[in-house]
């Protein structure tokens, strides 16, 4: 028994010590300070997220605990990696912008702890915070859908998507309106049915927000801190007291929301009622009436104060139509651009500058020039990804042409391939000697797309081409080029360059902003992009495959683009706009009526991978529409990218070159080809593997093309194709007229039949003799024309093939058979 009593005493002593430790007033205050610091930290992190979310989202998108300790991770959030992770969790993966209410709830809890009040006082703010989050997150996600910023977070996107699929877009909007009105009715229950579209809003006091509605630590009875937290029984009691006499109504705080406090002397009750009535009327829209005196102040009566009813002016204001700007991305508002993590990072493959190589090349250049008695004053090296530029300043009196003629000698002394001398460098008083590096750097596309220069590029069609000799990222604007001609020998990087351009567009633009017309005569280079038919591609309505590969379809597509160009110019004329940017700006502002044929115009980029094959097979049928598009289509947002591996003069004619000021040359085999594509030499001295020269006007820039592998391209395309696309693809205008002219039968165009064809056919059928000389004699035609008619009769099936000196066999026996055959061919 003694042992049990000792144990019980020990337990009681432990409980007493525990109670004493929990009753220590310092602990709640320390907790309150910690919560206050936490609220301030969250507020700073949230505010920083509003400005840095675009730069940090790719860094913290795939969350893992290792991100917090990754020293290489660079974020722009004001509170570092932890701030970026926390704000991304609350905004992107959480509730969006309503996350700020969590800061106020945390401050409320800190206030309760610091003031030693009951923690039950946190329940009403928590209830309001949950209601606010559940309502505002999907509302913000619904209103600002497609803006890119996570207004409603993952919760808002999920609820909005579910509601849109369940009740539709219109039903979702009506549901939000109903819930908002129900929230106002439930919490601000003073709804006035006597005045249209008017209700009395109670004053909000921050001091009341911090008051508690539960029993405090001292054990006092609970007091109502805010009328909006009243129970239904108290609301009924308030309604009953509102019917009391005027003297009681004025002194009762629950009867009016905007009255002078009841602590005033009773002798001032009339003035209190008068002021309360004026304060209420301040919140009612008052119709302006000329030559009217203001209503006299009323004296206290036994009736409650009345509010003047002026519904006419309110109805006029509510009916004024305000159209929101048109959002072309609204149909695919949930579209997300591909993640940069889909691309490979080539920066880790170890490119190092070899000082010994630089010194050795410098000494070789100086010794070679001195051997030919050429002195230099200064030499400087600029290291690039694949070549190093040595800038030399020759001594006074040295002729530039003398150094230029030593190009082969310098290449021999350096034992290097692709030495190029720039004499002089434009804009500088130096001569440049470009020497290839022994170890070359691979410039990855991910490195270019992750730069601030590309992310914040204010361009219509930004394309990340590569890096310059000075290791700077080069971003071009296809809309200002406005067309690009690409040439280079086989295996030098043309297809990779085209993929780089297309990937840049896919990473920067929304499907509603740009459309791609892809022509691939080789049938194997651009086929992965066929999965984007309902996102980015444009093609003819009756086309089976979105990638154009057949020559006759290429002709139809080019002529269809000409029709699209003419239609766009007609719309620009109606809208009094000079270019596509002005037109789209007016259309987004809803200054153009779609019922008059106006529509939003996306940019159209035409890509031809092998132009030489089209010229060889179609000739003028391809060259003429391309020349017309190159001359006129720039202003209406149609831009051309043409690539060829044979930059000869019969492929790249003068008409095409004149309209392609921007030209991109990979390594070619001869100086003639270099002059054809660039109007200057140099392309034959490139080292290949993405080494290229870009000319735009009079400027020539040497670049190392960004590299993107085929698996990377397929991953990016799959990520886009997995998202929701348009229900109907972007179809080009039908080319019906020329399509009928293009019907070929046995190599003969039905529209090009000779006008004497039918007479010749009837003559052959009636005589049952297929002879060219007979047609020549009977119809009085020349021999060449009679021979062409005979070939057409063979193609249609009237006569058989040529049998030497014998007359051709006649395959038809009656005129009716001829007519049936012609009708059948025309219906094909």
């Amino acid at each position: 028994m003694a042992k049990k009593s000792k144990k019980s005493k020990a337990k009681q002593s432990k409980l007493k010590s525990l109670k004493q430790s929990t009753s220590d007033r310092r602990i709640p205050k320390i907790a309150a300070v910690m919560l206050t610091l936490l609220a301030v930290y969250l507020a700073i992190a949230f505010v920083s997220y509003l400005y840095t979310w675009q730069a940090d989202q790719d860094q913290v998108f795939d969350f893992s605990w290792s991100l917090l300790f990754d020293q290489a991770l660079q974020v722009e959030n004001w509170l570092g990696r932890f701030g970026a992770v926390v704000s991304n969790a609350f905004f992107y993966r959480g509730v969006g912008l309503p996350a700020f209410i969590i800061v106020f709830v945390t401050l409320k809890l800190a206030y309760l702890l610091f003031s030693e009040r009951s923690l039950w006082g946190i329940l009403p703010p928590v209830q309001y915070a949950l209601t606010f989050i559940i309502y505002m997150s999907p509302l913000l996600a619904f209103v600002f859908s497609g803006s890119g910023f996570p207004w409603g977070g993952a919760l808002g996107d999920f609820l909005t998507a579910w509601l849109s699929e369940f009740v539709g877009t219109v039903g979702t909007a009506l549901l939000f309106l109903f819930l908002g009105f129900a929230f106002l009715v439930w919490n601000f229950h003073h709804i006035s049915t006597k005045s249209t579209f008017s209700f009395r809003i109670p004053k909000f006091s921050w001091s009341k927000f911090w008051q508690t509605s539960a029993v405090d630590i001292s054990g006092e009875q609970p007091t109502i801190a805010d009328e909006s937290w009243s129970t239904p029984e108290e609301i009924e009691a308030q309604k009953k007291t509102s019917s009391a006499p005027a003297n009681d109504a004025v002194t009762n705080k629950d009867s009016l929301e905007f009255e002078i406090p009841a602590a005033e002397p009773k002798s001032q009750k009339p003035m209190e009622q008068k002021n309360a009535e004026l304060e209420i009327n301040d919140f009612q829209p008052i119709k302006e009436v000329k030559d009217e005196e203001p209503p006299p102040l009323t004296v206290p009566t036994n009736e409650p104060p009345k509010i003047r009813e002026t519904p006419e002016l309110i109805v006029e204001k509510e009916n004024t139509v305000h159209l929101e700007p048109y959002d072309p991305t609204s149909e695919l508002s949930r579209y997300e651009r591909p993640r940069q993590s889909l691309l490979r990072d080539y920066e880790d493959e170890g490119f190092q500058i070899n000082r010994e190589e630089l010194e050795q090349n410098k000494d070789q250049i100086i010794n070679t020039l001195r051997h030919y008695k050429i002195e230099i004053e200064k030499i400087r090296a600029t290291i690039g990804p694949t070549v190093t530029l040595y800038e030399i300043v020759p001594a006074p009196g040295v002729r530039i042409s003398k150094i230029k003629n030593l190009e082969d000698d310098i290449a021999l002394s350096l034992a290097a391939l692709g030495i190029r001398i720039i004499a002089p460098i434009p804009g500088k008083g130096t001569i440049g000697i470009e020497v290839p590096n022994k170890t070359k750097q691979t410039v990855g596309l991910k490195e270019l797309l992750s730069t601030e220069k590309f992310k914040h590029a204010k361009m219509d069609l930004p394309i990340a081409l590569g890096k310059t000799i000075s290791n700077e990222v080069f971003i071009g604007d296809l809309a200002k080029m406005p067309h690009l001609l690409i040439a280079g020998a086989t295996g030098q990087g043309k297809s990779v360059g085209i993929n780089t351009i297309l990937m840049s567009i896919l990473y920067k633009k929304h499907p509603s902003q740009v459309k791609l017309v892809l022509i691939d005569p080789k049938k194997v280079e651009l086929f992965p992009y066929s999965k984007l038919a309902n996102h980015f591609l444009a093609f003819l309505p009756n086309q089976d495959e979105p990638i154009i590969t057949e020559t006759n379809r290429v002709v139809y597509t080019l002529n269809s683009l000409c029709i699209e160009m003419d239609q766009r110019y007609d719309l620009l004329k109606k809208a009094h706009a000079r270019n596509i940017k002005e037109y789209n700006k007016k259309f987004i502002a809803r200054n153009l009526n779609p019922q008059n044929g106006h529509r939003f115009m996306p940019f159209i980029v035409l890509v031809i991978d092998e132009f030489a094959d089209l010229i060889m097979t179609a000739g003028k049928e391809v060259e003429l529409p391309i020349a017309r598009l190159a001359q006129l289509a720039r202003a209406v947002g149609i831009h051309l990218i043409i690539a060829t591996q044979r930059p000869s003069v019969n492929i790249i004619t003068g008409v095409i070159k004149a309209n392609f000021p921007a030209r991109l040359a990979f390594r070619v085999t001869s100086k003639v080809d270099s002059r054809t594509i660039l109007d200057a030499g140099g392309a034959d001295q490139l080292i290949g593997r993405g080494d290229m020269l870009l000319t735009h006007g009079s400027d020539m820039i040497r670049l190392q093309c960004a590299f993107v592998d085929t698996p990377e391209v397929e991953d990016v395309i799959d990520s886009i194709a997995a998202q929701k696309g348009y229900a109907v693809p972007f179809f080009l205008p039908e080319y019906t007229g020329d399509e009928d002219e293009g019907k070929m039968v046995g190599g003969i165009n039905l529209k090009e039949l000779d006008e004497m064809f039918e007479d010749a056919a009837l003559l052959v059928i009636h005589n049952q003799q297929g002879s060219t000389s007979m047609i020549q004699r009977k119809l009085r035609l020349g021999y060449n024309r009679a021979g062409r008619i005979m070939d057409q009769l063979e193609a249609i099936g009237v006569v058989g093939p040529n049998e030497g000196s014998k007359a051709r066999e006649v395959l038809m026996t009656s005129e009716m058979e001829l007519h049936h055959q012609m009708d059948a061919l025309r219906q094909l």
Side-chain angles (χ1 to χ4, degrees):
M1 294 292 291
K3 291 182 179 179
K4 291 183 178 179
S5 62
K6 288 181 180 180
K7 291 183 179 179
S8 62
K9 289 180 180 179
K11 289 183 179 179
Q12 290 177 0
S13 62
K14 289 181 179 180
L15 291 174
K16 287 182 180 179
S17 61
L18 182 62
K19 288 181 180 179
Q20 290 176 358
S21 61
T22 54
S23 61
D24 192 348
R25 293 187 176 182
R26 293 174 296 178
I27 295 177
K29 295 184 183 297
I30 293 174
V33 173
M34 293 177 62
L35 288 174
T36 303
L37 294 177
L38 176 62
V40 173
Y41 188 91
L42 290 176
I44 297 175
F46 291 170
V47 173
S48 175
Y49 184 84
L50 300 179
Y51 299 96
T52 63
W53 68 277
Q54 289 181 324
D56 294 346
Q57 189 167 5
D58 288 340
Q59 306 294 332
V60 299
F61 186 83
D62 298 325
F63 173 75
S64 64
W65 292 107
S66 60
L67 289 177
L68 300 176
F69 307 99
D70 187 3
Q71 298 295 332
L73 183 64
Q74 299 294 329
V75 296
E76 296 186 8
N77 193 282
W78 301 339
L79 297 180
R81 292 191 296 272
F82 187 76
V85 171
V86 170
S87 57
N88 183 73
F90 275 100
F91 274 79
Y92 186 81
R93 300 186 181 276
V95 299
L97 199 62
F100 277 100
I101 197 69
I102 299 174
V103 176
F104 294 101
V105 175
T106 307
L107 290 175
K108 172 69 176 180
L109 180 59
Y111 171 77
L112 293 177
L113 289 173
F114 195 83
S115 60
E116 299 183 357
R117 296 176 181 270
S118 175
L119 295 181
W120 291 106
I122 197 62
L123 289 180
V126 169
Q127 293 175 358
Y128 271 89
L130 291 176
T131 305
F132 181 80
I133 290 173
I134 294 175
Y135 177 71
M136 290 302 298
S137 290
L139 177 61
L140 292 174
F142 179 80
V143 173
F144 299 101
S145 60
S147 62
F149 181 79
W151 291 91
L155 175 65
D157 292 340
F158 171 78
L159 293 177
T160 302
W162 184 83
L163 288 173
S164 299
E165 294 176 358
F166 187 72
V167 297
T169 305
V170 178
T172 304
L174 294 176
L175 180 61
F176 282 128
L177 290 176
F178 168 75
L179 291 177
F181 183 75
F183 179 81
L184 293 176
V185 172
W186 183 262
N187 293 279
F188 310 107
H189 49 272
H190 296 282
I191 302 296
S192 175
T193 57
K194 296 181 181 180
S195 179
T196 308
F197 299 104
S198 64
F199 57 93
R200 293 157 49 191
I201 304 176
K203 285 184 177 179
F204 181 78
S205 174
W206 283 103
S207 61
K208 292 182 180 181
F209 179 79
W210 299 109
Q211 294 177 5
T212 179
S213 60
V215 180
D216 60 11
I217 297 176
S218 61
E220 297 179 358
Q221 295 297 325
T223 56
I224 303 301
D226 194 343
E227 188 186 8
S228 61
W229 295 352
S230 300
T231 61
E233 291 79 11
E234 293 170 334
I235 295 174
E236 289 296 329
Q238 294 168 8
K239 291 181 179 179
K240 291 180 181 179
T241 54
S242 63
S243 60
N247 294 338
D248 296 334
V250 173
T251 58
N252 190 356
K253 182 180 178 181
D254 293 333
S255 62
L256 289 175
E257 296 295 322
F258 303 98
E259 63 186 45
I260 299 173
E264 298 291 334
K266 293 185 178 180
S267 60
Q268 296 181 1
K269 283 184 180 180
M271 183 60 66
E272 290 172 1
Q273 182 178 0
K274 176 178 64 178
N275 291 342
E277 181 178 285
L278 289 176
E279 190 171 356
I280 294 170
N281 288 336
D282 288 341
F283 284 82
Q284 301 298 324
I286 302 174
K287 186 175 180 181
E288 297 181 0
V289 182
K290 294 182 179 181
D291 301 332
E292 269 192 9
E293 297 181 357
L297 298 177
T298 58
V299 296
T301 61
N302 292 331
E303 297 180 359
K306 296 183 179 180
I307 302 174
R308 287 187 298 150
E309 302 178 8
T310 56
E312 296 82 2
L313 187 60
I314 300 175
V315 173
E316 293 177 3
K317 289 186 177 180
E318 291 292 331
N319 288 339
T320 55
V321 179
H322 176 68
L323 296 177
E324 294 293 331
Y326 172 74
D327 184 11
T329 64
S330 59
E331 190 171 350
L332 295 184
S333 58
R334 299 180 61 83
Y335 172 80
E336 294 183 358
R337 291 174 174 82
R339 303 190 309 273
Q340 293 185 6
S341 58
L342 298 173
L343 300 176
R344 182 181 170 186
D345 194 352
Y346 293 91
E347 293 180 348
D348 301 333
E349 296 192 354
F351 172 74
Q352 296 180 353
I353 300 174
N354 191 342
R355 285 289 178 184
E356 296 180 0
E357 179 185 351
L358 295 178
E359 292 293 335
Q360 183 180 0
N361 290 338
K362 182 193 72 171
D363 295 338
Q364 290 287 350
I365 292 173
I366 293 175
N367 294 333
T368 303
L369 294 177
R370 284 178 178 173
H371 182 73
Y372 291 97
K373 299 180 180 180
I374 298 176
E375 295 293 333
I376 61 174
E377 293 182 348
K378 188 188 300 181
I379 185 169
R380 187 171 67 92
T382 303
I383 303 171
T386 55
V387 297
T388 299
L389 175 64
Y390 294 89
E391 296 183 44
I392 62 175
V393 179
V398 176
R399 297 174 64 88
I400 294 178
S401 60
K402 192 174 183 181
I403 300 177
K404 181 69 175 174
N405 294 331
L406 297 177
E407 188 170 350
D408 295 335
D409 299 286
I410 295 175
L412 178 63
S413 64
L414 296 176
L417 176 67
I419 297 293
R420 195 169 75 100
I421 295 180
I422 310 172
I425 297 178
K428 297 182 178 180
T430 59
I431 298 174
I433 302 176
E434 295 176 349
V435 180
N437 300 329
K438 291 183 179 180
T439 58
K440 300 173 179 60
Q441 177 188 8
T442 301
V443 179
L445 180 62
K446 181 180 180 180
E447 181 183 356
L448 272 62
L449 299 184
S450 60
T451 58
E452 297 296 325
K453 190 174 184 180
F454 181 80
K455 288 181 178 179
H456 302 102
K458 302 297 183 181
M459 302 177 182
D460 295 325
L461 291 174
I463 52 177
L465 291 177
K467 284 187 175 182
T468 63
I469 292 179
S470 58
N471 232 12
E472 296 179 356
V473 175
F474 185 86
I475 308 296
D477 189 1
L478 182 60
K480 292 183 179 179
M481 287 185 179
H483 311 295
L484 182 61
L485 183 62
I486 304 175
T490 303
Q492 302 304 317
K494 293 190 311 299
S495 297
V496 175
I498 291 176
N499 283 328
T500 300
I501 294 173
L502 294 178
M503 286 292 106
S504 302
I505 295 174
L506 295 183
Y507 265 92
K508 192 67 176 178
K509 291 299 178 181
H510 189 274
S512 63
Q513 298 172 334
V514 63
K515 297 298 177 183
L516 304 175
V517 180
L518 304 182
I519 297 176
D520 184 15
K522 291 190 291 187
K523 304 181 181 180
V524 295
E525 295 293 342
L526 302 177
F527 74 91
Y529 295 92
S530 60
K531 297 179 182 179
L532 305 181
N534 287 28
H535 294 82
F536 282 98
L537 298 188
F539 48 91
L540 294 172
N542 55 353
Q543 188 171 311
D544 297 332
E545 294 292 334
I547 309 297
I548 301 101
T549 57
E550 299 177 2
T551 304
N552 59 338
R553 288 292 175 186
V554 172
V555 177
Y556 301 157
T557 302
L558 294 177
N559 286 280
S560 177
L561 283 173
C562 292
I563 297 174
E564 173 73 14
M565 177 186 66
D566 294 334
Q567 291 178 355
R568 291 190 172 197
Y569 269 114
D570 292 338
L571 294 177
L572 260 64
K573 179 182 177 182
K574 293 180 182 178
H576 301 286
R578 295 176 58 88
N579 51 52
I580 187 174
K581 291 183 66 175
E582 295 181 7
Y583 179 88
N584 283 338
K585 185 176 180 181
K586 291 184 177 181
F587 188 85
I588 290 175
R590 297 189 183 273
N591 295 329
L592 303 176
N593 191 352
Q595 296 181 355
N596 296 332
H598 292 290
R599 54 189 169 90
F600 181 80
M601 295 183 187
F603 286 94
I604 297 178
V605 179
L606 169 65
V607 180
I608 302 177
D609 186 37
E610 186 47 62
F611 183 63
D613 182 72
L614 297 179
I615 291 294
M616 292 175 61
T617 55
K620 294 293 184 181
E621 293 182 279
V622 171
E623 183 181 355
L624 292 179
I626 284 181
R628 188 163 181 261
L629 289 172
Q631 291 172 353
L632 301 174
R634 175 187 59 85
V636 292
I638 301 177
H639 304 278
L640 281 62
I641 300 175
I642 295 178
T644 179
Q645 63 181 4
R646 292 180 54 198
S648 55
V649 292
N650 60 335
I651 302 298
I652 304 176
T653 61
V655 177
I656 294 177
K657 285 179 61 177
N659 295 286
F660 281 79
R663 302 168 196 170
L664 193 61
F666 293 87
R667 186 183 180 187
V668 295
T669 56
S670 65
K671 293 184 181 292
V672 176
D673 291 342
S674 177
R675 292 190 181 95
T676 302
I677 181 67
L678 298 176
D679 291 331
D684 57 313
Q685 297 170 328
L686 300 176
I687 61 176
R689 297 181 61 85
D691 191 16
M692 59 186 183
L693 290 173
L694 174 66
T695 61
H696 189 211
S698 59
D699 299 331
M700 181 180 294
I701 306 172
R702 188 168 186 174
L703 302 171
Q704 174 61 37
C705 181
F707 179 73
V708 56
D709 204 358
T710 303
E712 301 175 57
V713 174
E714 292 176 350
D715 291 341
V716 172
I717 292 174
D718 291 339
S719 69
I720 297 176
Q723 303 184 48
K724 178 185 176 183
Y726 292 102
V728 179
F730 186 90
F731 288 131
L732 297 174
E734 291 192 33
Y735 185 59
T736 55
D738 288 1
E739 189 173 351
D740 291 338
E741 295 180 2
K743 290 182 179 179
M744 307 291 289
V745 178
I748 301 298
N749 195 326
L750 293 180
K751 290 293 183 179
E752 295 179 356
L753 293 177
D754 195 280
E755 59 182 9
M756 300 294 291
F757 171 81
E758 189 172 353
D759 296 336
L762 294 176
L763 177 64
V764 170
I765 292 173
H766 291 160
N767 292 281
Q768 288 296 303
Q769 181 182 358
S771 173
T772 304
S773 59
M774 182 187 68
I775 296 176
Q776 184 181 0
R777 292 193 314 271
K778 296 289 186 181
L779 299 180
R780 297 181 180 179
L781 301 176
Y783 182 79
N784 292 333
R785 185 177 180 184
R788 287 195 300 269
I789 293 176
M790 183 59 68
D791 292 337
Q792 294 172 359
L793 291 173
E794 179 185 354
I796 299 300
V798 178
V799 298
N802 187 14
E803 299 179 0
S805 60
K806 294 182 181 180
R808 294 174 183 256
E809 180 185 1
V810 182
L811 303 178
M812 294 184 181
T813 58
S814 64
E815 182 180 348
M816 185 66 67
E817 189 176 357
L818 173 63
H819 292 320
H820 284 311
Q821 177 71 2
M822 295 299 297
D823 293 340
L825 292 176
R826 290 191 179 97
Q827 292 176 2
L828 290 177

